[in-house]
mmCIF file with all atom_site columns, all heavy atoms in Angstrom:
data_model
loop_
_atom_site.group_PDB
_atom_site.id
_atom_site.type_symbol
_atom_site.label_atom_id
_atom_site.label_alt_id
_atom_site.label_comp_id
_atom_site.label_asym_id
_atom_site.label_entity_id
_atom_site.label_seq_id
_atom_site.pdbx_PDB_ins_code
_atom_site.Cartn_x
_atom_site.Cartn_y
_atom_site.Cartn_z
_atom_site.occupancy
_atom_site.B_iso_or_equiv
_atom_site.pdbx_formal_charge
_atom_site.auth_seq_id
_atom_site.auth_comp_id
_atom_site.auth_asym_id
_atom_site.auth_atom_id
_atom_site.pdbx_PDB_model_num
ATOM 1  N N   . GLY A 1 16 ? -43.862 149.990 32.005 1.00 90.00 ? 987 GLY A N   1
ATOM 2  C CA  . GLY A 1 16 ? -43.912 151.168 32.837 1.00 90.00 ? 987 GLY A CA  1
ATOM 3  C C   . GLY A 1 16 ? -43.226 150.907 34.198 1.00 90.00 ? 987 GLY A C   1
ATOM 4  O O   . GLY A 1 16 ? -42.568 149.874 34.386 1.00 90.00 ? 987 GLY A O   1
ATOM 5  N N   . THR A 1 17 ? -43.424 151.811 35.056 1.00 92.00 ? 988 THR A N   1
ATOM 6  C CA  . THR A 1 17 ? -42.691 151.735 36.376 1.00 92.00 ? 988 THR A CA  1
ATOM 7  C C   . THR A 1 17 ? -43.617 150.944 37.356 1.00 92.00 ? 988 THR A C   1
ATOM 8  O O   . THR A 1 17 ? -44.780 151.124 37.476 1.00 92.00 ? 988 THR A O   1
ATOM 9  C CB  . THR A 1 17 ? -42.519 153.136 37.000 1.00 92.00 ? 988 THR A CB  1
ATOM 10 O OG1 . THR A 1 17 ? -41.639 153.893 36.101 1.00 92.00 ? 988 THR A OG1 1
ATOM 11 C CG2 . THR A 1 17 ? -41.839 153.074 38.340 1.00 92.00 ? 988 THR A CG2 1
ATOM 12 N N   . ILE A 1 18 ? -42.959 149.950 38.023 1.00 93.00 ? 989 ILE A N   1
ATOM 13 C CA  . ILE A 1 18 ? -43.605 149.123 38.959 1.00 93.00 ? 989 ILE A CA  1
ATOM 14 C C   . ILE A 1 18 ? -43.066 149.436 40.366 1.00 93.00 ? 989 ILE A C   1
ATOM 15 O O   . ILE A 1 18 ? -41.886 149.493 40.578 1.00 93.00 ? 989 ILE A O   1
ATOM 16 C CB  . ILE A 1 18 ? -43.353 147.617 38.681 1.00 93.00 ? 989 ILE A CB  1
ATOM 17 C CG1 . ILE A 1 18 ? -44.026 147.221 37.347 1.00 93.00 ? 989 ILE A CG1 1
ATOM 18 C CG2 . ILE A 1 18 ? -43.956 146.790 39.845 1.00 93.00 ? 989 ILE A CG2 1
ATOM 19 C CD1 . ILE A 1 18 ? -43.731 145.792 36.981 1.00 93.00 ? 989 ILE A CD1 1
ATOM 20 N N   . THR A 1 19 ? -43.948 149.771 41.314 1.00 94.00 ? 990 THR A N   1
ATOM 21 C CA  . THR A 1 19 ? -43.571 150.052 42.637 1.00 94.00 ? 990 THR A CA  1
ATOM 22 C C   . THR A 1 19 ? -43.562 148.717 43.429 1.00 94.00 ? 990 THR A C   1
ATOM 23 O O   . THR A 1 19 ? -44.580 148.151 43.650 1.00 94.00 ? 990 THR A O   1
ATOM 24 C CB  . THR A 1 19 ? -44.501 151.057 43.314 1.00 94.00 ? 990 THR A CB  1
ATOM 25 O OG1 . THR A 1 19 ? -44.466 152.306 42.556 1.00 94.00 ? 990 THR A OG1 1
ATOM 26 C CG2 . THR A 1 19 ? -44.110 151.294 44.785 1.00 94.00 ? 990 THR A CG2 1
ATOM 27 N N   . ALA A 1 20 ? -42.352 148.321 43.793 1.00 95.00 ? 991 ALA A N   1
ATOM 28 C CA  . ALA A 1 20 ? -42.175 147.054 44.528 1.00 95.00 ? 991 ALA A CA  1
ATOM 29 C C   . ALA A 1 20 ? -42.290 147.254 46.014 1.00 95.00 ? 991 ALA A C   1
ATOM 30 O O   . ALA A 1 20 ? -42.836 146.378 46.725 1.00 95.00 ? 991 ALA A O   1
ATOM 31 C CB  . ALA A 1 20 ? -40.835 146.413 44.202 1.00 95.00 ? 991 ALA A CB  1
ATOM 32 N N   . LEU A 1 21 ? -41.845 148.405 46.517 1.00 96.00 ? 992 LEU A N   1
ATOM 33 C CA  . LEU A 1 21 ? -41.925 148.696 47.969 1.00 96.00 ? 992 LEU A CA  1
ATOM 34 C C   . LEU A 1 21 ? -42.294 150.211 48.111 1.00 96.00 ? 992 LEU A C   1
ATOM 35 O O   . LEU A 1 21 ? -41.750 151.061 47.424 1.00 96.00 ? 992 LEU A O   1
ATOM 36 C CB  . LEU A 1 21 ? -40.571 148.493 48.665 1.00 96.00 ? 992 LEU A CB  1
ATOM 37 C CG  . LEU A 1 21 ? -40.073 147.060 48.676 1.00 96.00 ? 992 LEU A CG  1
ATOM 38 C CD1 . LEU A 1 21 ? -38.631 146.984 49.277 1.00 96.00 ? 992 LEU A CD1 1
ATOM 39 C CD2 . LEU A 1 21 ? -41.007 146.188 49.471 1.00 96.00 ? 992 LEU A CD2 1
ATOM 40 N N   . HIS A 1 22 ? -43.189 150.479 49.044 1.00 96.00 ? 993 HIS A N   1
ATOM 41 C CA  . HIS A 1 22 ? -43.672 151.786 49.256 1.00 96.00 ? 993 HIS A CA  1
ATOM 42 C C   . HIS A 1 22 ? -43.623 152.173 50.684 1.00 96.00 ? 993 HIS A C   1
ATOM 43 O O   . HIS A 1 22 ? -44.225 151.593 51.561 1.00 96.00 ? 993 HIS A O   1
ATOM 44 C CB  . HIS A 1 22 ? -45.156 151.986 48.708 1.00 96.00 ? 993 HIS A CB  1
ATOM 45 C CG  . HIS A 1 22 ? -45.710 153.331 48.991 1.00 96.00 ? 993 HIS A CG  1
ATOM 46 N ND1 . HIS A 1 22 ? -45.208 154.459 48.363 1.00 96.00 ? 993 HIS A ND1 1
ATOM 47 C CD2 . HIS A 1 22 ? -46.708 153.729 49.779 1.00 96.00 ? 993 HIS A CD2 1
ATOM 48 C CE1 . HIS A 1 22 ? -45.942 155.475 48.728 1.00 96.00 ? 993 HIS A CE1 1
ATOM 49 N NE2 . HIS A 1 22 ? -46.821 155.107 49.626 1.00 96.00 ? 993 HIS A NE2 1
ATOM 50 N N   . GLN A 1 23 ? -42.791 153.198 51.041 1.00 96.00 ? 994 GLN A N   1
ATOM 51 C CA  . GLN A 1 23 ? -42.660 153.817 52.410 1.00 96.00 ? 994 GLN A CA  1
ATOM 52 C C   . GLN A 1 23 ? -42.566 152.734 53.459 1.00 96.00 ? 994 GLN A C   1
ATOM 53 O O   . GLN A 1 23 ? -43.330 152.595 54.406 1.00 96.00 ? 994 GLN A O   1
ATOM 54 C CB  . GLN A 1 23 ? -43.898 154.667 52.671 1.00 96.00 ? 994 GLN A CB  1
ATOM 55 C CG  . GLN A 1 23 ? -43.872 155.960 51.988 1.00 96.00 ? 994 GLN A CG  1
ATOM 56 C CD  . GLN A 1 23 ? -42.629 156.879 52.422 1.00 96.00 ? 994 GLN A CD  1
ATOM 57 O OE1 . GLN A 1 23 ? -41.739 157.025 51.633 1.00 96.00 ? 994 GLN A OE1 1
ATOM 58 N NE2 . GLN A 1 23 ? -42.739 157.381 53.634 1.00 96.00 ? 994 GLN A NE2 1
#
Side-chain angles (χ1 to χ4, degrees):
T988 301
I989 295 175
T990 299
L992 297 173
H993 177 66
Q994 284 299 107

